[in-house]
Amino acid sequence: MLLQKINCEVFFKYCAKYSRRYRKGTNADKTNFLIISRGSVFEYVAIVYLLKEEEIISIELFQFMYFLLKELSKMLFVMMQRLK
């Protein structure tokens, strides 16, 4: 539980740091940031598939995580389209 708390704190500090940079950047900078972010989502999808194939996570957890990642990818895509 402590490890999860530490990871969440680090994650939110990281997000806050980069959200300040995101607000200050040009549209090209923002688009690049979103492209990289979406690529990271695709990497997570590959990892989730691997975890499912190795039977480390259940089918239900896989479906839930895949749904969340798919929604996140859609959100990032729409954000990129709005910047163009």
Side-chain angles (χ1 to χ4, degrees):
M1 190 62 145
L2 178 62
L3 183 59
Q4 288 176 336
K5 182 179 178 187
I6 292 169
N7 286 339
C8 287
E9 288 174 6
V10 170
F11 174 74
F12 287 121
K13 285 180 184 176
Y14 180 82
C15 288
K17 176 181 168 186
Y18 282 94
S19 68
R20 285 191 294 272
R21 284 188 187 175
Y22 179 83
R23 281 184 261 138
K24 293 179 181 178
T26 65
N27 278 356
D29 292 335
K30 292 176 184 179
T31 301
N32 189 46
F33 175 79
L34 294 172
I35 289 169
I36 292 169
S37 299
R38 195 159 181 243
S40 296
V41 170
F42 293 143
E43 289 176 4
Y44 276 109
V45 169
I47 291 169
V48 168
Y49 267 107
L50 180 65
L51 293 172
K52 181 189 75 142
E53 292 297 318
E54 295 292 324
E55 297 179 356
I56 296 172
I57 61 173
S58 67
I59 298 294
E60 293 81 18
L61 181 57
F62 166 77
Q63 290 171 342
F64 177 70
M65 292 173 75
Y66 183 79
F67 171 77
L68 292 177
L69 290 167
K70 191 165 82 171
E71 291 299 310
L72 182 56
S73 176
K74 288 178 188 178
M75 286 187 269
L76 291 168
F77 181 76
V78 169
M79 290 172 71
M80 287 188 310
Q81 294 301 310
R82 290 188 180 170
L83 286 174
K84 290 183 180 180

